[in-house]
Amino acid sequence: MDKIAELSPEWQSWLQDNLARGCTPQSLVEVMVSHQFEPMFANAIVFHFSALRQVPAAQASEPSAGQRAAQTGYQYEAPRLAPAGNTIQTHDLTVRVVTRINKPYVVVLENVLTAEECDEMIRLSSDKLKRSMTVDPKTGGDAVIADRTSYGAFFAINENPLIANIDRRLAELMSWPVENGEGIQILNYKVGGEYKPHFDYFPPSDEGSKVHLGQGGQRISTLVMYLNDVPAGGETIFPELGLAVAPKKGSAVYFEYCNSLDQVDPLTLHGGNPVIEGEKWIATKWLRQHRYGG
């Protein structure tokens, strides 16, 4: 896990010692946050060390995806996006399945958007871009953090004919009602722009999550759509899976992380690698458990 390199040997030893003593992961996260670690970073690191403790020493350096899935306690259910087949038919496009991972459920897709749709979304959002925010874990308000260096804009559901048609297609693709989706977010990353590993769901233990959970429930899945080709860098990474998805215009990566028991899947830790050359444009769609009221 790349993030370990950012944690001092002293903190790594502290985590290992306290996990061995039987301290709960949540208590260790709280201590790290009190020492000015970002909550998402602390959650990811503690989960990683906790997972390593639960496999035999001979396997600890390279646990399989299946082993890691079992360690989380997350109960995997039938995926909402087609669990089999190489294509998914929507009302106007045939979407191609390129790669599928089952635990966690991650699918790389092609032909999700046309080239013209990609270009038009970039054009329509270019004048609306503002510095991207994240959720403050204590208050639920918006916050700017150094871990996220993109600029973004939102389209409301059915904001115009273009967005309405895309929203319809995505609802068909992900087998979930249009009204349960947040508006499409457009993000632009220049050279050096990145989003360090994080979770898209709202951590249930964070006080600030209550605000967002009251606006349609938990996020259950994400679709990241690539609006342009990136010459170098900008991959969507899943550190716990060793997976990196390179941006390709019109393609997307989809992943699920909340089940019917309200459990959330920490194996969907993901991020955006720094853009090395050119720029990156993406459109993100988050789905909620219920009708979205944000």
Side-chain angles (χ1 to χ4, degrees), residues 86-96 110-112:
N86 297 328
T87 61
I88 303 171
Q89 187 63 51
T90 69
H91 73 280
D92 61 345
L93 287 182
T94 300
V95 177
R96 296 185 294 274
E110 286 187 348
N111 202 40
V112 175

Side-chain angles (χ1 to χ4, degrees), residues 157-273:
I157 296 292
N158 299 330
E159 180 170 321
N160 56 48
L162 170 72
I163 297 301
N165 190 59
I166 293 173
D167 278 332
R168 177 186 173 188
R169 183 189 308 144
L170 300 186
E172 294 168 350
L173 176 65
M174 298 185 284
S175 302
W176 210 246
V178 170
E179 59 269 22
N180 287 28
E182 297 182 33
I184 293 173
Q185 182 188 43
I186 307 297
L187 294 172
N188 177 229
Y189 295 83
K190 304 297 186 184
V191 169
E194 65 176 325
Y195 195 176
K196 293 183 179 179
H198 61 282
F199 302 109
D200 277 0
Y201 56 76
F202 303 110
S205 60
D206 287 353
E207 186 67 23
S209 293
K210 294 179 181 178
V211 175
H212 297 275
L213 293 174
Q215 298 175 345
Q218 183 62 270
R219 284 177 175 168
I220 60 172
S221 56
T222 298
L223 183 72
V224 178
M225 298 164 279
Y226 303 105
L227 304 184
N228 72 316
D229 296 322
V230 180
E235 302 91 348
T236 301
I237 57 170
F238 294 82
E240 295 295 341
L241 306 180
L243 175 66
V245 181
K248 180 180 179 182
K249 188 173 183 176
S251 68
V253 59
Y254 169 87
F255 48 103
E256 297 182 0
Y257 40 78
C258 181
N259 61 20
S260 63
L261 303 175
D262 288 343
Q263 294 176 320
V264 289
D265 188 353
L267 288 186
T268 56
L269 180 75
H270 64 286
N273 270 349

